[in-house]
Amino acid sequence: MRADAERSRRRILDAACEVFLERGPDAPLDAVVRRAGVGPGTLYRRFPDREALVRALVTDLLGRLTEAAEEARREEGDPYRALRRFVHAAADLRMGAAIVVLLERLVVDEELVAVRRGAVTAVEGLLGAARDAGRVRADVGMGDLVLLCVRVSRPLPGALAALDADGALVHRHLDLALAGLAAVGGPVGVPLGFDEVIAAAGRPGEPGVGE
């Protein structure tokens, strides 16, 4: 029973990610139900409203992001290869695009800040190791890496989306971008920190912004 429940939950979250990316955060939840192949009752028993579904989706994505960073660190001996592996895994999760779409619906509280902090810590470890090894520019900050991934991994608009129907173009562009982070050439300004990104994206009154 627990395994069946987890499979249903996984289908709902994956479907929600796809539907919200395609149709925005106000997409009908019935579309999520159809995409997941479950009954409406199955969705609403787990996620009583849109806010609960969005929160669960973002928490799930952040958790998977943390796992991807930790796995890359464990299994790749070279720090640059570990960072590259993580960035491509994050693109497969469509993290950058999904978070941007869901930001306006996301209510940030202390629990969510703690989950986010875990993901940030794991990724900062990868980036720091690559910088310390001289494989990535010293002036690349966590905020630079996050926003670069967001820019590159967002779906192409309109008819251009057909150019990347299989997702291969995203990964090509990520490799081109990562090559630009290599430790060559002179500095290009002050590194952008993750706290600055959060502060810019946050709304007044949200707890934990900038933490």
Side-chain angles (χ1 to χ4, degrees):
M1 290 292 290
R2 285 194 298 272
D4 288 342
E6 181 55 34
R7 281 192 291 270
S8 294
R9 184 177 184 277
R10 180 78 268 148
R11 286 199 300 271
I12 291 169
L13 292 175
D14 289 345
C17 188
E18 293 172 2
V19 169
F20 290 149
L21 279 174
E22 293 170 6
R23 304 174 62 175
D26 294 319
L29 295 188
D30 287 348
V32 176
V33 168
R34 291 193 297 272
R35 184 72 61 92
V38 300
T42 301
L43 185 147
Y44 288 108
R45 278 195 301 273
R46 290 165 175 76
F47 312 107
D49 53 31
R50 186 181 303 273
E51 180 181 320
L53 178 58
V54 168
R55 179 186 176 80
L57 177 56
V58 172
T59 301
D60 177 71
L61 286 170
L62 287 171
R64 295 171 79 183
L65 198 70
T66 303
E67 291 174 5
E70 292 175 346
E71 182 179 275
R73 178 184 55 79
R74 285 195 309 269
E75 299 184 6
E76 298 289 347
D78 179 80
Y80 177 82
R81 290 181 62 85
L83 182 65
R84 178 182 181 275
R85 174 171 170 168
F86 163 76
V87 167
H88 284 281
D92 286 335
L93 290 173
R94 290 171 291 185
M95 165 60 73
I99 291 295
V100 170
V101 168
L102 297 174
L103 268 177
E104 63 186 76
R105 285 284 185 179
L106 189 61
V107 177
V108 180
D109 59 16
E110 292 181 1
E111 182 180 355
L112 191 56
V113 167
V115 175
R116 184 181 68 198
R117 188 180 297 118
V120 171
T121 299
V123 180
E124 282 182 332
L126 293 179
L127 178 58
R131 279 196 307 246
D132 292 344
R135 301 296 305 280
V136 169
R137 305 174 61 99
D139 57 355
V140 176
M142 181 67 175
D144 295 308
L145 180 67
V146 169
L147 290 185
L148 183 149
C149 291
V150 169
R151 289 177 186 273
V152 174
S153 64
R154 295 190 72 178
L156 292 170
L160 289 176
L163 292 173
D164 196 30
D166 62 356
L169 196 57
V170 166
H171 291 286
R172 166 178 158 74
H173 287 164
L174 281 172
D175 274 335
L176 289 172
L178 286 169
L181 301 183
V184 295
V188 291
V190 179
L192 180 66
F194 184 74
D195 289 352
E196 296 170 78
V197 175
I198 291 300
R203 296 182 293 277
E206 284 186 345
V209 171
E211 292 186 18

